[in-house]
Amino acid sequence: MAAVDDFKFQEFDDAANLLAANPDAVTISIDEPTEKPKKKHGRLQGSGREEDDELLGTDDSDKTELLAGQKKSAPFWTFEYYQTFFDVDTYQVLDRIKGSVFPVPGKNFVRLHIRSNPDLYGPFWICATLVFAVAISGNLSKFFIHLGKRDFHYVPDFRKVSIAATAIYAYAWLIPLALWGFLMWRNNKVVNIVSYSFLEIVCVYGYSLFIYIPTAILWIIPQKILRWVLMAFALCLSGSVLVMTFWPAVRDDNRRIALATVVTVVLLHALLAVGCLAYFFDAPELEVISLTTALPPNGTIEVTKAQ
């Protein structure tokens, strides 16, 4: 003990001499070794509490809401509520388009591509692009068919845009709404029916229409047989996506009801494709009878074709 006390007094004397020689010098006190483990132990306990807080979260932590599945969504009348439906990146959209163009047998399109993050971005712009593709291609097809005729004067028909928009958007929204209601009704009667949300069904229908965009552009070619072959090919691809998606949802139902549901889905899908091709591209020219105010002496009626 005497040696330790002498060492402390010697250290104190050295510090005093140093301060006397240089008043601006900084002194450092050395803590007792017994205090270090306490501080270290305190840090370990603090870090452990921080890790627990990160896992369990606090009342005002977003991580708690995500881990507990209690993250609150914005009210439906706010912009933030609808913004979540368009929260999707380019890679996801391209992956879903690829899945709709190249369907994999035995793979459910919803579980494989949609369920992780359903969106409205892809279906909305696919329908918008298809509207203009059908309308513009229909006008160009009419131009190329009558190209070279002397009495032909090309006048674009802008009504085709509104007609195509009404037909395509009504199909992409009303049919999924009816199908969603039907599946919900059957789900109350049959326990094993797979349930899809309305947003997931809209995604399936929206992405299934992508194949018709390049098909509508190729419909410009003035060959009726080629057009119908292209339409049948696109119908098989997009229709197979719908069948492989909705057949697992109804296969445990009554056999007749299940088959009737799938057949109805395919028929409505085919009706849209056939209707677009027949109306915008292969519609026959209507003959319009124009009567003059005064009939000519021979009593003939002039008949002209609507251009």
Side-chain angles (χ1 to χ4, degrees):
M1 290 296 294
V4 175
D5 293 338
D6 293 339
F7 177 76
K8 288 184 177 180
F9 283 115
Q10 183 178 1
E11 182 183 358
F12 178 77
D13 292 339
D14 293 338
N17 295 332
L18 179 61
L19 289 175
N22 186 8
D24 296 332
V26 179
T27 60
I28 301 175
S29 61
I30 301 176
D31 297 333
E32 293 294 333
T34 57
E35 296 179 357
K36 291 183 180 180
K38 293 181 180 179
K39 292 183 179 180
K40 186 175 181 181
H41 180 68
R43 292 192 190 97
L44 291 175
Q45 287 181 346
S47 62
R49 293 193 191 96
E50 290 178 357
E51 292 177 357
D52 293 339
D53 291 339
E54 290 180 358
L55 291 175
L56 300 178
T58 56
D59 294 337
D60 57 349
S61 176
D62 291 337
K63 293 181 180 180
T64 304
E65 296 176 348
L66 290 175
L67 292 174
Q70 298 177 354
K71 189 172 180 63
K72 298 180 180 179
S73 59
F76 71 92
W77 59 82
T78 60
F79 177 77
E80 289 78 8
Y81 176 81
Y82 298 96
Q83 188 178 8
T84 58
F85 299 149
F86 294 85
D87 186 13
V88 63
D89 55 25
T90 305
Y91 174 79
Q92 288 178 320
V93 174
L94 294 178
D95 182 65
R96 294 171 183 184
I97 291 175
K98 180 181 177 181
S100 66
V101 176
F102 303 104
V104 180
K107 299 293 184 179
N108 190 301
F109 183 74
V110 172
R111 294 179 180 178
L112 192 63
H113 300 282
I114 303 298
R115 180 149 293 177
S116 60
N117 184 25
D119 72 289
L120 293 179
Y121 180 86
F124 176 81
W125 286 112
I126 288 174
C127 291
T129 307
L130 181 59
V131 167
F132 287 99
V134 170
I136 295 174
S137 298
N139 284 319
L140 291 178
S141 175
K142 178 182 176 181
F143 172 77
F144 287 122
I145 290 176
H146 296 86
L147 185 62
K149 296 182 180 180
R150 295 181 179 180
D151 56 346
F152 173 70
H153 301 282
Y154 175 71
V155 178
D157 189 1
F158 294 102
R159 294 177 303 173
K160 291 183 177 181
V161 177
S162 59
I163 296 174
T166 302
I168 292 173
Y169 275 101
Y171 171 81
W173 284 90
L174 296 182
I175 301 301
L177 179 61
L179 183 58
W180 173 73
F182 175 78
L183 292 179
M184 292 294 291
W185 173 61
R186 297 305 302 173
N187 193 23
N188 294 329
K189 297 181 176 296
V190 182
V191 179
N192 295 328
I193 287 183
V194 179
S195 61
Y196 296 133
S197 66
F198 174 67
L199 185 59
E200 290 173 345
I201 298 177
V202 170
C203 282
V204 175
Y205 270 85
Y207 283 103
S208 67
L209 294 176
F210 177 82
I211 189 61
Y212 289 113
I213 296 176
T215 304
I217 296 175
L218 293 176
W219 281 346
I220 298 176
I221 302 174
Q223 296 292 333
K224 182 176 293 187
I225 297 178
L226 179 61
R227 289 174 177 173
W228 286 92
V229 170
L230 292 173
M231 187 273 297
F233 178 74
L235 179 61
C236 291
L237 285 179
S238 57
S240 62
V241 174
L242 299 179
V243 171
M244 288 188 294
T245 300
F246 296 112
W247 173 248
V250 297
R251 63 185 174 187
D252 292 330
D253 201 346
N254 183 276
R255 196 68 175 177
R256 293 182 179 179
I257 296 178
L259 292 176
T261 303
V262 174
V263 170
T264 302
V265 168
V266 175
L267 287 179
L268 291 175
H269 197 64
L271 181 62
L272 177 69
V274 174
C276 288
L277 179 58
Y279 179 81
F280 294 99
F281 296 89
D282 292 337
E285 296 182 355
L286 300 178
E287 293 185 353
V288 180
I289 301 178
S290 59
L291 299 176
T292 58
T293 54
L295 292 176
N298 56 5
T300 59
I301 299 177
E302 181 183 359
V303 177
T304 60
K305 287 186 177 181
Q307 301 296 334

